Amino acid sequence: MKRKITLKQIAKELDVSISTVSKALRNSIEISEDTRQKVQAFAKLYNYRPNNIALSLKNRKTKTIGIIIPEIVHHFFSKVITGIELVANKRGYNVIVGLSNESFDKEVINMQMLANGSIDGFILSIAKETLQQQDYHHFIETINQGMPIVMFDRVVKEIPCDKVIVDDVDGAKKAVEKLIENGCKNIAIITTKDYVSVGKLRTQGYLEALDDHKIHPKSSLILKIEDKLLSDDHLDELEKDIEQLFKSNKQIDGIFAVNELYAVTAIKVARKLGLKIPESLQVVSFTDGVLSKHSTPSLTTMSQHGQNIGEKAADLLINRLELEETDEEEEETYETIVIETELIERESTK
Amino acid sequence: MKRKITLKQIAKELDVSISTVSKALRNSIEISEDTRQKVQAFAKLYNYRPNNIALSLKNRKTKTIGIIIPEIVHHFFSKVITGIELVANKRGYNVIVGLSNESFDKEVINMQMLANGSIDGFILSIAKETLQQQDYHHFIETINQGMPIVMFDRVVKEIPCDKVIVDDVDGAKKAVEKLIENGCKNIAIITTKDYVSVGKLRTQGYLEALDDHKIHPKSSLILKIEDKLLSDDHLDELEKDIEQLFKSNKQIDGIFAVNELYAVTAIKVARKLGLKIPESLQVVSFTDGVLSKHSTPSLTTMSQHGQNIGEKAADLLINRLELEETDEEEEETYETIVIETELIERESTK
DNA sequence: AAACTTCTCGCAAACGTTTTCGTGTTAAAA
DNA sequence: TTTTAACACGAAAACGTTTGCGAGAAGTTT
């Protein structure tokens, strides 16, 4: 109904110029105490707020940052967003979210939509499809156009940008070591196919842990799941695969699962087969989400500190944005922050 | 480095006017085939895209919608966002997210940040604190300034705007009826204090179901939890309360929990007390999230169809935005869409 | 040859700000 | 009285678009 009030309207109403109004509101000494008060009172009365879009256009920056993530219904990504939003707001930025839904095309489209002036920079985690196709031209292009990117979790080394990652290898290693310490002799891993970088890295950590303890890895103990979005119909298949794993390897006494879902499913299957947890089978998971915390038994897991990752990423991006502002042509040097993982012990281990 | 290219630059480069470039790119018949091709080729080469901010300023609309939710690390809200994002993108809109973190102040601040031109309309779910204080002036003000709002899930009737809700009373009723059908004689409810509207409504549904079946409600079977953000330290207290409930009411054979967390906690406690599920205790939950699906036993629950809610809300908002465009002063009439709940039967009931 | 059309294109305004630079008025200094 | 300084304000440009309108050139009709 009543459109938002503008400087022009205030100016007309008070019979002064637009510039006077603007200056009065910003407490410029150019304006007399008298008119300043008059203008400010009027502005307050009509609840004037400067139009963001106009400011963005003028300042050539929007004070908003774009987030592109594969999906939002996912504890880890939500946590990261929480972290980003927290520091973004604190530093006067807004956050605009795009979902790639793990699709290359949607990732590209979304980035294009946002890159046309809507945002000052990106924080993103790469879609699986993109990772598979290894087509990163859209990232390169936006960077070349002067728009900084910060990648987190799923990153690719070659792209010149800041990154925030978790030390997946180390985390996995620590997780497996926990099982070894606890006396497990036959530790299986449930992981993803290798094109999912985090899966690959965690598998690597598993192998390193075994190696460090002179345990010979057995390929029959390594179950690589084709993770097609973890759809519901896929769940049965997952259960079958895990059941097969147990049945053909009766000696398994420890499981390292690269995510919560694999872990709870493993526990479910193990129980069905009569295994007691943690007495005869111990399980360690990765990613500290609701399932780990609230399922029974609760899961011992490696926390990735998602919120922390988000906070770091946002700081990195905003720092760069505000640095650009002052010091134009500075040598480009990018940072990679590694967030420590942390073992959270719960009921699924002794 | 290389700033994004603008009409002005293209114009200078090709030695024509800005308007010619603009028209050429939009295939205006005013421009000769020749120059049109020339301009388009050049634009393509330099990957020209119109600046969104400038467009927003000119058109006085941003084609982005603002979402304000209490928290994002929450299956239901994430699902809603997924839904909103889905139809928003399909209809050419972007989505910008603000988190109120259940705080009144943050809700107000966030809305102010976005309302100054950054977005065309809001989709939101009210913070608990706001609900408690019953201070809705910020909603009223933004609506009065001509910015439409669509509320979902946590709404307040008096505010003149479109709403998308779940029939909590009916859903709760159906849930409890399921327990009754399954032979439960002593059904307890674990719910929130009444100021949380959904808790109140679901409690009401519980009572109605009992009433319909001539079962006399017992206040000792109604456990109202003070839900302070469900923080971790609060969890112990929750467990104690539930344990107390069971111990002082040994005859309980059915539990209706108004959210997943209450349900899994109830199950955990019940098991500790030696109850078998679903043989000696059946549990129905509300909200279909990861916990319901993947914890053991999996939970029979009322699904709220979060994504559906999001889709409907987005459609409602965009419809209104695009209607305003054509038909200015139209009588204001608001819609409330009720999304059907659906019982999903799993292992926690017979 | 004069009067119309038809094509092409550029000018200028508008969206809402901020800010630089003038400019006119008044008061103080010479 | 004249020059100068301080003060209070306005005009205009800029950010990047789109678009109505005017205008020159060329061609067509009388």
Side-chain angles (χ1 to χ4, degrees), chain A residues 16-17 19-20 23 30 32 35 57-58 60:
Chain A
V16 291
S17 78
S19 9
T20 304
K23 287 171 186 165
E30 282 186 50
S32 72
T35 39
L57 184 59
K58 179 139 194 33
R60 276 125 135 262

Side-chain angles (χ1 to χ4, degrees), chain B residues 167-212:
Chain B
D167 192 338
D168 284 291
V169 178
D170 181 65
K173 204 167 151 183
K174 287 193 286 190
V176 174
E177 271 167 357
K178 174 69 189 171
L179 289 171
I180 297 176
E181 274 172 33
N182 280 13
C184 295
K185 300 296 177 197
N186 293 282
I187 302 173
I189 178 174
I190 308 177
T191 181
T192 63
K193 299 278 187 196
D194 278 347
Y195 67 83
V196 183
S197 62
V198 297
K200 184 175 176 182
L201 293 172
R202 291 172 194 170
T203 307
Q204 187 186 329
Y206 163 81
L207 294 173
E208 284 184 15
L210 294 187
D211 193 55
D212 282 3

Side-chain angles (χ1 to χ4, degrees), chain B residues 244-256:
Chain B
Q244 192 53 45
L245 173 71
F246 280 122
K247 285 192 172 158
S248 41
N249 299 278
K250 304 267 186 194
Q251 75 290 25
I252 291 177
D253 55 1
I255 293 271
F256 169 54

Side-chain angles (χ1 to χ4, degrees), chain A residues 74-90:
Chain A
H74 191 298
H75 189 267
F76 174 66
F77 287 124
S78 316
K79 273 283 186 194
V80 174
I81 292 192
T82 305
I84 296 175
E85 221 258 353
L86 186 75
V87 339
N89 278 7
K90 191 181 298 167

Side-chain angles (χ1 to χ4, degrees), chain B residues 42-290:
Chain B
F42 191 89
K44 186 162 204 171
L45 178 64
Y46 281 87
N47 198 18
Y48 169 80
R49 300 246 186 278
N51 180 311
N52 256 328
I53 295 291
L55 286 181
S56 297
L57 183 58
K58 179 140 195 31
N59 302 330
R60 276 125 134 259
K61 64 186 162 193
T62 62
K63 287 271 183 180
T64 97
I65 80 190
I67 304 183
I68 310 258
I69 52 173
E71 51 169 338
I72 202 171
V73 189
H74 192 297
H75 189 267
F76 174 67
F77 288 124
S78 316
K79 273 285 185 193
V80 174
I81 293 191
T82 305
I84 296 176
E85 220 257 355
L86 187 75
V87 340
N89 277 8
K90 192 182 298 168
R91 299 183 67 170
Y93 282 71
N94 270 320
V95 153
I96 180 165
V97 175
L99 305 179
S100 69
N101 213 24
E102 304 286 14
S103 138
F104 174 79
D105 289 339
K106 269 211 73 181
E107 188 173 88
V108 174
I109 299 270
N110 252 312
M111 287 192 66
Q112 281 180 352
M113 282 194 71
L114 298 185
N116 302 321
S118 303
I119 61 163
D120 295 340
F122 280 108
I123 296 180
L124 57 84
S125 191
I126 308 178
K128 278 181 191 153
E129 205 183 349
T130 309
L131 251 15
Q132 253 177 308
Q133 301 182 198
Q134 303 191 30
D135 182 349
Y136 308 128
H137 77 276
H138 50 310
F139 302 136
I140 305 291
E141 271 173 24
T142 61
I143 291 173
N144 281 343
Q145 291 194 341
M147 180 162 300
I149 294 183
V150 175
M151 297 192 171
F152 70 90
D153 197 49
R154 304 199 201 145
V155 309
V156 354
K157 277 202 208 69
E158 296 74 34
I159 299 177
C161 65
D162 292 318
K163 306 178 184 79
V164 182
I165 54 174
V166 125
D167 192 338
D168 284 291
V169 178
D170 181 65
K173 204 167 151 183
K174 287 193 286 190
V176 174
E177 271 167 357
K178 174 69 189 171
L179 289 171
I180 297 176
E181 274 172 33
N182 280 13
C184 295
K185 300 296 177 197
N186 293 282
I187 302 173
I189 178 174
I190 308 177
T191 181
T192 63
K193 299 278 187 196
D194 278 347
Y195 67 83
V196 183
S197 62
V198 297
K200 184 175 176 182
L201 293 172
R202 291 172 194 170
T203 307
Q204 187 186 329
Y206 163 81
L207 294 173
E208 284 184 15
L210 294 187
D211 193 55
D212 282 3
H213 290 78
K214 314 266 188 264
I215 304 177
H216 203 69
K218 290 171 58 179
S219 65
S220 64
L221 293 182
I222 299 177
L223 177 58
K224 291 188 179 173
I225 306 290
E226 175 73 58
D227 90 339
K228 295 200 192 294
L229 292 183
L230 301 174
S231 63
D232 284 359
D233 36 312
H234 191 59
L235 209 60
D236 283 343
E237 216 173 312
L238 175 61
E239 282 185 33
K240 285 212 189 73
D241 287 350
I242 295 178
E243 190 164 342
Q244 192 53 45
L245 173 71
F246 280 122
K247 285 192 172 158
S248 41
N249 299 278
K250 304 267 186 194
Q251 75 290 25
I252 291 177
D253 55 1
I255 293 271
F256 169 54
V258 300
N259 61 45
E260 287 189 311
L261 185 55
Y262 292 174
V264 291
T265 311
I267 288 181
K268 188 170 163 190
V269 173
R271 273 189 177 157
K272 206 170 64 182
L273 298 176
L275 293 171
K276 283 262 182 281
I277 294 159
E279 292 77 7
S280 51
L281 178 72
Q282 300 184 55
V283 179
V284 177
S285 160
F286 216 103
T287 300
D288 185 33
V290 262

Side-chain angles (χ1 to χ4, degrees), chain A residues 328-345:
Chain A
E328 193 48 56
E329 217 58 61
E330 142 139 4
E331 61 172 317
E332 309 258 302
T333 154
Y334 295 105
E335 205 172 336
T336 294
I337 295 186
V338 179
I339 303 288
E340 283 297 305
T341 53
E342 181 191 6
L343 185 74
I344 299 185
E345 296 191 47

